[in-house]
Amino acid sequence: MELIHEEQRFPFVLALILSAIVVAFAFFFTHLVNPAPATKNLTYWYMARSAGLTAYILLALSVLLGASTTRSLWDRWRLRKFVTHIHQYCALLVFPFLFFHLWGLHQDTSIVFNLPNLLIPFFQTYRPIPAGLGVLTLYGWLLIVATSYLRERITVGVWRSIHYISIPMFIAVTMHGLLTGTDTRQHWALAIYIIPSALFVLLMLRGRSRPAGPRLDKASAR
């Protein structure tokens, strides 16, 4: 079994390269514009904030696209396979930005985040409940992505049941961002959380009004 199918390799590798370029440019640009002293360590604080918001946007986009494909919103335009691929790429691209988010928190000296704080749920001293929701989301997202690429080895029922945890997981990561983020007082930051959340609710309501199980085809099963 291949993790990335042959027709997906080039766009996936290209997406990873572009993401690495964006991250590297943002990191070095921050160093150039704001060479903060080690005592303040603002570079890593900015990294943690920007990478966290980027990871949330990618995660939200992946969840919304995945929910929309199960409700056949794209079939009339014959875009189901294309949207499914974008959904998969966004899901994978969450991880490099999560890495930089966690690395920024670990390197920042304003609040101490050691490895147990970063990897054990509710083991944090800073806002332990919403911070713990973020850690749980990390493991939930790992489980969803891993089972997506092990789809050929597991049953449809197991795959579908695991993917249903994306609903509480999305709620949890939204609460994590709203309650721990230092930018949530800004209107632009609130919009980043409110807009995907509103779209998510609309998709859930649409799914209730049209009770049909997720349609599994060859494209969505990958």
Side-chain angles (χ1 to χ4, degrees), residues 22 49-60 93-94 97-98 192:
V22 170
R49 292 161 58 198
S50 59
L53 287 170
T54 304
Y56 177 81
I57 292 171
L58 287 168
L59 188 149
L93 290 174
V94 167
F97 288 99
L98 271 179
I192 288 176

Side-chain angles (χ1 to χ4, degrees), residues 5 7-8 11 65 69 79-91 149 219 222:
H5 294 273
E7 68 273 12
Q8 296 177 308
L65 291 178
T69 54
L79 292 174
R80 182 183 181 88
K81 185 175 182 180
F82 173 77
V83 172
T84 299
H85 284 174
I86 299 299
H87 157 72
Q88 293 171 339
Y89 299 149
C90 289
Y149 288 96
R222 290 181 178 178

Side-chain angles (χ1 to χ4, degrees), residues 111-127:
I111 299 176
V112 177
F113 281 97
N114 52 34
L115 288 180
N117 296 148
L118 294 175
L119 299 178
I120 300 177
F122 311 111
F123 198 69
Q124 296 74 30
T125 56
Y126 175 77
R127 300 182 182 179

Side-chain angles (χ1 to χ4, degrees), residues 123-142:
F123 198 69
Q124 296 74 30
T125 56
Y126 175 77
R127 300 182 182 179
I129 294 179
L133 292 177
V135 179
L136 289 177
T137 300
L138 167 63
Y139 295 126
W141 199 245
L142 280 170

Side-chain angles (χ1 to χ4, degrees), residues 135-175:
V135 179
L136 289 177
T137 300
L138 167 63
Y139 295 126
W141 199 245
L142 280 170
L143 179 62
I144 289 175
V145 172
T147 53
S148 294
Y149 288 96
L150 294 173
R151 174 65 187 85
E152 299 171 1
R153 302 281 184 91
I154 60 179
T155 65
V156 173
V158 171
W159 177 85
R160 185 179 297 171
S161 299
I162 291 174
H163 272 65
Y164 280 149
I165 71 172
S166 63
I167 298 176
M169 186 195 69
F170 181 72
I171 297 172
V173 73
T174 302
M175 297 303 298

